Amino acid sequence: MEEREIKEIETDLLLEAIVRLYGYDFRNYARASLNRRIQQAVDKTNCATISDLTARIVREPEFFQRVVANFSITVTEMFRDPEFYKVLREQVLPYLATYPFIKVWHAGCATGEEAYSLAIMLEEEGLLERATIYATDFNEDALENARAGIYPLEQMKQYGSNYRQAGGRGSLSEHYHAQYESVIMEAKLRQSITFSRHNLTVDQVFGEMHLVLCRNVLIYFDRTLQGRVLRLFDDSLVNSGFLCLGSRESLRFSDTAAHFVEFVAKGKIYRKRTVP
Amino acid sequence: MNDFPVVVIGTSAGGLDALRAVLPALPVKLPRSVIVVQHRSADADNFLAEFFNDCCRLPVAEAEEKELIRPGHIYFAPAAYHLLIERDMSFSLSVDEKVNFSRPSIDVLFESAAQACGARLIGVILTGANADGAAGLQTIREAGGLAVVQQPVGATAYYMPQAAINAGPVDYIMELAEISDLIRKPPCPKNTRKY
């Protein structure tokens, strides 16, 4: 049997073991990029094969927790895709401003950079006091970083440039305090965001939202899991609520597509239809 | 029988001119899919795909996530995303960390292509100024696929093809016109190993 066939079987067994022992379900993740992360875990832990990795995961819960943290994608930045944030600020926030209170769900927030970006925009538009931001991820380590709101100072130059391109009204540095080589986000921002654990593959709707952001998460899922997650967002959103996806993601192939209209094509922002 | 339904190409500095010598010469009804990673800046638009769509006989587009790969089509990895191939011959995108300072990375495409296609794959490294793709080309060859590298002497940037050659045995070191011919009419896979 070819090596790649063997790896395929080993991967199936690994994912089966993980879901049965720990409840994390990666079986409907897009395989190609998951394969890379599994191979990285094999290399990093000095295992010879995926089967070796599985054996340790099955017997050592602490080992599993370390490995699983590396299965989630924590690559993110503040005001990532500035053009998107500009559209959000100029075209979506004016609608949200008409509500007496605003509930936002940022799904797959990783270490929180984009959740803070959103909070900064809401603050600058005078909407933060009325807003509740739920930012969720399955990776507890990433959430811990997000709650702390501490980021390396050296990244702020890039983020500041993104912020200006995104239509920032002042200076990004007004929203954090710098000390030594780090910055901490303003207390007001940190308090406005509830960071909590939620796993899109298994968990349910937890509230009624006016805005759902989930960017560059669906690309990691197969069609089946994409469908599940999009239904979750559909069920979470109020009528006329907004759904924002990543620049390369779309509703095109999902059965929830009929429940939404394209609000801004370039920003991949959709609006839920009003049920007649 | 089609021994090589998929061709993956990686290039960086000088890639536009090199690809102009390879892609427009490909004939309509080519029974292969050609998938290209060209390094470029994260905020690049889809100029590349549009440019080649205008000068190629085959349809050229940026790859969409979950899109099924079709023969007789040329695909480019979109800027700022890694492009990967799944076992069911569809595309995946990812925003994972950069690999070899690059996203899209040639290694990421090549390694996933080797896992998806096994021996039924041609990997090509063209001009470029970093070592991305060298490891991926070896992975392709180890899985039984054909490893092809542009002749570094005369390439706009010799570093990338030279790095691919230094990383291990390859099957062909060729000029651009020969590479285009090879994509049109690949040799029978089993009889051509030179090393």
Side-chain angles (χ1 to χ4, degrees), chain B residues 19-70:
Chain B
L19 291 169
R20 282 173 74 185
V22 173
L23 300 180
L26 299 175
V28 277
K29 294 189 181 166
L30 182 80
R32 271 170 273 292
S33 314
V34 179
I35 303 159
V36 185
V37 166
Q38 157 80 68
H39 289 169
R40 58 206 155 120
S41 74
D43 54 4
D45 56 16
N46 66 346
F47 160 80
L48 261 183
E50 284 177 4
F51 174 84
F52 281 103
N53 194 45
D54 288 343
C55 66
C56 286
R57 280 172 271 190
L58 297 174
V60 184
E62 286 195 344
E64 301 272 354
E65 73 114 14
K66 302 287 181 286
E67 180 181 9
L68 282 173
I69 300 167
R70 287 181 292 175

Side-chain angles (χ1 to χ4, degrees), chain A residues 73-274:
Chain A
I73 303 87
T74 52
V75 181
T76 181
E77 57 187 73
M78 285 190 196
F79 298 97
R80 172 187 213 158
D81 304 332
E83 190 63 26
F84 161 76
Y85 279 95
K86 196 168 158 63
V87 171
L88 191 66
R89 185 194 286 262
E90 291 172 357
Q91 299 190 42
V92 174
L93 294 195
Y95 281 97
L96 297 186
T98 64
Y99 292 104
F101 59 91
I102 303 163
K103 288 168 91 175
V104 180
W105 177 17
H106 182 189
C109 67
T111 41
E113 285 86 338
E114 291 200 65
Y116 284 108
S117 310
L118 191 65
I120 287 168
M121 268 180 27
L122 289 167
E123 187 186 13
E124 290 186 354
E125 300 302 319
L127 300 172
L128 192 63
E129 279 69 29
R130 281 192 265 160
T132 311
I133 303 171
Y134 301 95
T136 64
D137 205 280
F138 81 78
N139 181 343
E140 192 58 57
D141 293 350
L143 287 171
E144 207 49 56
N145 286 322
R147 282 185 202 107
I150 296 171
Y151 301 104
L153 181 62
E154 60 178 3
Q155 288 172 352
M156 289 299 144
K157 199 173 167 222
Q158 167 71 36
Y159 295 172
S161 155
N162 287 358
Y163 164 86
R164 284 187 297 278
Q165 288 176 59
R169 290 193 187 278
S171 159
L172 182 60
S173 60
E174 292 161 23
H175 300 284
Y176 60 76
H177 306 286
Q179 197 168 19
Y180 304 111
E181 296 306 307
S182 299
V183 307
I184 183 162
M185 304 310 293
E186 272 189 303
K188 200 203 292 188
L189 297 174
R190 281 180 282 130
Q191 285 150 12
S192 70
I193 308 171
T194 306
F195 288 101
S196 51
R197 246 199 76 171
H198 183 281
N199 188 334
L200 290 169
T201 64
V202 288
D203 292 333
Q204 301 301 320
V205 173
F206 61 89
E208 198 167 57
M209 303 294 157
H210 300 97
L211 170 66
V212 172
L213 270 94
C214 185
R215 305 176 65 232
N216 293 320
V217 174
L218 292 179
I219 49 174
Y220 290 98
F221 299 164
D222 72 8
R223 281 269 167 85
T224 308
L225 185 51
Q226 286 185 350
R228 177 195 199 272
V229 173
L230 287 170
R231 277 191 297 281
L232 202 60
F233 295 157
D234 189 7
D235 293 343
S236 300
L237 280 166
V238 299
N239 287 334
S240 303
F242 294 91
L243 172 63
C244 306
L245 302 178
S247 63
R248 288 275 154 185
E249 296 166 329
S250 83
L251 293 179
R252 221 173 350 163
F253 302 112
S254 91
D255 46 2
T256 47
H259 302 176
F260 288 87
V261 288
E262 209 170 59
F263 183 70
V264 183
K266 197 157 182 275
K268 292 295 162 71
I269 301 176
Y270 298 86
R271 196 166 193 201
K272 188 169 165 179
R273 285 180 196 277
T274 312

Side-chain angles (χ1 to χ4, degrees), chain A residues 25-43:
Chain A
D25 193 351
F26 293 102
R27 292 173 302 179
N28 289 102
Y29 272 52
R31 265 311 162 83
S33 42
L34 188 60
N35 285 342
R36 282 191 66 80
R37 280 195 294 284
I38 291 171
Q39 191 56 49
Q40 280 166 4
V42 168
D43 296 342

Side-chain angles (χ1 to χ4, degrees), chain B residues 67-137:
Chain B
E67 180 181 9
L68 282 173
I69 300 167
R70 287 181 292 175
H73 283 67
I74 299 171
Y75 302 92
F76 275 87
Y81 286 84
H82 291 305
L83 178 65
L84 303 94
I85 301 178
E86 298 285 346
R87 285 299 286 270
D88 67 357
M89 288 297 130
S90 67
F91 286 120
S92 276
L93 298 175
S94 101
V95 289
D96 284 9
E97 327 39 29
K98 291 181 178 180
V99 175
N100 304 315
F101 312 101
S102 310
R103 190 175 56 219
S105 149
I106 302 165
D107 276 345
V108 170
L109 172 66
F110 280 20
E111 282 162 17
S112 72
Q115 177 72 16
C117 307
R120 293 156 55 81
L121 176 67
I122 300 173
V124 183
I125 294 291
L126 303 177
T127 167
N130 86 0
D132 191 22
L137 194 68

